[in-house]
Amino acid sequence: WLLDKEGKCTLPDCYSGCHGNGICIRDMSGVASCKCRPEWTGRWCATPVWGSACTFGLGHVLTWDGLLYHHQGSGAYQLVSGQWVGGDLSIQIRKKYYKWIGVSVTDAVTIRLG
């Protein structure tokens, strides 16, 4: 976050370097934005075009509908539950919180098909 001229907190131009899924460019007036690779979209190129969901980094969860959550907690979480071409599909993750560094990580994934 940055402090603007009026003393308000704002996200920096090209937040998180376009999440590694694009490049930061500036237009003629100096306004910066992310130019996403074809398979990514959104203001900071953090939403996949092909509609996937994932957990990554230190507590980040991206949902099927493109919402990005930052969750620092411990426990088991159901990411996916439903019907798939081959039958039932279930994906669960287990997260562990490391208090001494203040982050949680995914330390196990369970996938059930059928």
Side-chain angles (χ1 to χ4, degrees):
W1 293 89
L2 298 174
L3 200 59
D4 68 11
K5 294 176 187 174
E6 298 171 1
K8 296 178 186 172
C9 284
T10 61
L11 284 171
D13 293 339
C14 298
Y15 176 68
S16 282
C18 304
H19 285 278
N21 304 315
I23 59 169
C24 185
I25 58 171
R26 291 193 181 275
D27 64 17
M28 296 299 283
S29 63
V31 175
S33 64
C34 292
K35 176 157 179 56
C36 303
R37 293 192 317 236
E39 64 272 17
W40 293 91
T41 188
R43 184 172 178 188
W44 298 297
C45 303
T47 305
V49 172
W50 27 266
S52 69
C54 63
T55 178
F56 62 96
L58 301 174
H60 308 300
V61 177
L62 180 64
T63 65
W64 293 103
D65 55 358
L67 298 176
L68 182 61
Y69 293 93
H70 306 286
H71 173 62
Q72 302 298 331
S74 288
Y77 301 92
Q78 186 79 30
L79 290 185
V80 176
S81 180
Q83 295 293 308
W84 184 64
V85 177
D88 293 331
L89 170 64
S90 172
I91 302 175
Q92 297 175 339
I93 62 170
R94 186 178 67 210
K95 296 179 70 150
K96 184 174 182 179
Y97 182 71
Y98 291 92
K99 186 176 182 177
W100 61 278
I101 56 174
V103 297
S104 66
V105 297
T106 301
D107 67 348
V109 176
T110 304
I111 301 172
R112 292 189 178 112
L113 296 172

